[in-house]
Amino acid sequence: YGIAIADTGKIVRCSGGQTLLRALAAGIVLEANCGGKGTCGKCKVEILRGRVTDSNGVPLSAAADNTYPACQ
């Protein structure tokens, strides 16, 4: 999969089953004070197009502010 970063136009590659946090670590710095456990809320990202699924392929719902935790 390819992830296009809206602010920079950079494309980051992501394999199936890989979290956005891990994929983005190749060029984008996101805080994850909880170590990727999904409890701190620091790694929230907004998805402008496409869909986000869990590791089993089940679509995830966005939070009220249209963001997703990148670590999940």
Side-chain angles (χ1 to χ4, degrees):
Y1 302 97
I3 303 166
I5 310 303
D7 292 348
T8 65
K10 182 175 183 173
I11 304 287
V12 176
R13 297 288 169 211
C14 181
S15 62
Q18 185 179 34
T19 65
L20 289 172
L21 182 63
R22 182 165 290 247
L24 294 173
I28 306 293
V29 177
L30 288 176
E31 289 185 49
N33 296 343
C34 66
K37 295 179 182 141
T39 58
C40 72
K42 295 284 187 179
C43 67
K44 294 190 306 183
V45 294
E46 183 179 10
I47 306 298
L48 301 177
R49 190 174 55 203
R51 65 184 186 130
V52 178
T53 62
D54 68 12
S55 60
N56 295 314
V58 177
L60 298 176
S61 298
D65 61 355
N66 199 39
T67 61
Y68 298 84
C71 66
Q72 300 295 298

